[in-house]
């Protein structure tokens, strides 16, 4: 049958990325407490397309993912990217995995246990001999406003904030490590299950540790910079303000503007 995709393009312009989005696939991720964790990912796959070709072969992306092992580690992702590049005769290949990662969390006083999930995003790109992986984790925390606390006779406004850490590294690290760095930067971590004694503890502990979004990103960035494993990172904090009709935001990116 005629291969329309491999024919000439009406407009001879190269395309940076072409592929498929929103594929669902089972995923196995390393878990610090249990060894491994099974979750489900939304997967985007793409390659570059030279100017002389009209289109890519979309079915080959689905075939490559279907024959992939489903283990999310450096070697496995590299094999998937190399397979995509070979199947589609491309010079670069990109894969993105968006998935929830679950951690069992015990309440601080009662010890009541409940699951917490953290939204993760892994980007992998193979271009020539260069292979780049970027992991992003989104972590909810609680923040108490230092200004509100300082000027109020009673209480202060507090809210949930989202800390996003995206990073690249030269050696292995656990997802849990990024979660812990983000949580330590806020006024308090948040929980899926709290009893009254736990709520009292969280409230008092957070009000003893007020912080702006600026404080959050600086604290997390300091930890990442001092770690030594991370070659690039970006820290963002978005505070879903409880007394304003807007969000407060701050970000730090090191070592510079290059990033995803």
């Amino acid at each position: 049958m005629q291969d329309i995709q491999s024919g000439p393009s009406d407009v001879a312009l190269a395309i940076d990325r072409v592929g498929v989005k929103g594929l669902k696939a089972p995923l196995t991720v390393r878990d610090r407490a249990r060894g491994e964790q099974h979750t489900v990912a939304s997967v985007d796959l793409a390659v570059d397309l030279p100017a002389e070709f009209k289109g890519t072969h979309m079915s080959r992306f689905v075939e490559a993912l279907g024959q992939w092992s489903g283990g999310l580690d450096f070697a496995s992702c590299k094999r998937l990217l190399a397979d995509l590049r070979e199947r589609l005769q491309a010079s670069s290949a990109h894969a993105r995995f968006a998935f929830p990662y679950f951690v069992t969390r015990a309440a601080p006083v009662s010890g009541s246990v409940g699951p917490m999930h953290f939204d993760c995003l892994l980007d992998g790109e193979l271009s020539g001999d260069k292979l780049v992986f970027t992991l992003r984790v989104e972590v909810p925390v609680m923040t108490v406003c230092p200004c509100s606390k300082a000027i109020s006779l009673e209480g202060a406004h507090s809210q949930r904030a989202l800390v996003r850490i995206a990073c690249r590294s030269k050696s292995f690290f656990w997802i849990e490590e990024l979660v812990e760095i983000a949580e330590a930067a806020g006024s308090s971590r948040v929980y899926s299950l709290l009893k009254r004694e736990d709520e009292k503890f969280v409230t008092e502990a957070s009000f003893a540790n007020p912080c702006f979004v600026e404080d959050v990103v600086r604290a997390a960035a300091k930890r990442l910079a001092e770690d030594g494993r991370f070659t690039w990172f970006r820290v963002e904090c978005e505070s879903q303000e409880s007394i304003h009709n807007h969000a407060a935001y701050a970000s730090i990116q090191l070592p510079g503007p290059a990033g995803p």
Side-chain angles (χ1 to χ4, degrees):
M1 287 186 288
Q2 187 177 2
D3 186 356
I4 297 294
Q5 288 94 328
S6 297
S9 171
D10 296 333
V11 179
L13 286 176
I15 296 176
D16 297 325
R17 287 184 183 177
V18 57
V20 296
K21 284 191 168 188
L23 295 170
K24 292 292 188 290
L27 195 66
T28 304
V29 187
R30 291 187 181 182
D31 184 312
R32 188 172 64 181
R34 296 173 291 178
E36 65 179 26
Q37 178 177 142
H38 297 281
T39 184
V40 175
S42 177
V43 186
D44 301 342
L45 302 173
V47 296
D48 68 303
L49 186 69
E52 61 268 25
F53 294 127
K54 186 174 183 65
T56 192
H57 294 80
M58 297 294 182
S59 64
R60 297 180 186 178
F61 293 101
V62 183
E63 289 173 342
L65 184 63
Q67 294 177 20
W68 182 57
S69 66
L72 198 65
D73 57 44
F74 185 88
S76 177
C77 288
K78 183 178 180 180
R79 286 193 296 271
L80 174 61
L81 292 168
D83 185 29
L84 284 173
R85 202 163 65 169
E86 181 178 353
R87 286 174 185 266
L88 292 144
Q89 301 176 25
S91 60
S92 67
H94 172 258
R96 168 172 285 184
F97 298 88
F99 60 95
Y101 184 81
F102 292 87
V103 174
T104 300
R105 173 68 51 79
V109 179
S110 69
S112 301
V113 174
M116 284 286 296
H117 88 273
F118 303 95
D119 291 327
C120 300
L121 197 68
L122 178 73
D123 276 295
E125 183 160 11
L126 180 61
S127 181
D129 295 329
K130 186 179 181 182
L131 181 62
V132 177
F133 284 102
T134 306
L135 178 67
R136 191 186 85 167
V137 179
E138 184 174 275
V139 181
V141 298
M142 178 182 176
T143 58
V144 174
C145 177
C147 179
S148 178
K149 181 181 177 184
I151 64 176
S152 301
L153 294 177
E154 292 186 23
H157 78 82
S158 60
Q159 53 276 316
R160 184 185 302 181
L162 294 175
V163 182
R164 302 181 186 96
I165 297 178
C167 62
R168 298 171 185 160
S169 74
K170 57 187 177 183
S171 60
F172 177 77
F173 62 92
W174 297 101
I175 292 175
E176 290 89 339
E177 292 181 86
L178 298 184
V179 170
E180 289 164 359
I181 289 172
E183 290 182 329
S187 296
S188 172
R189 61 171 46 175
V190 299
Y191 300 80
S192 60
L193 176 59
L194 292 172
K195 300 296 186 180
R196 280 176 295 178
E197 58 268 35
D198 300 309
E199 290 192 20
K200 179 178 184 297
F201 177 89
V202 169
T203 301
E204 292 174 348
S206 62
F207 273 70
N209 184 35
C211 57
F212 295 123
V213 289
E214 298 94 330
D215 299 316
V216 175
V217 296
R218 284 171 172 154
K222 182 175 185 292
R223 289 274 303 275
L224 291 164
E226 292 173 347
D227 186 281
R229 288 174 293 175
F230 302 103
T231 58
W232 174 91
F233 64 81
R234 180 175 61 240
V235 180
E236 302 173 290
C237 181
E238 183 175 344
S239 176
Q240 300 167 346
E241 296 287 282
S242 60
I243 65 169
H244 303 292
N245 191 29
H246 59 261
Y249 173 81
S251 70
I252 294 178
Q253 184 166 293
L254 293 174

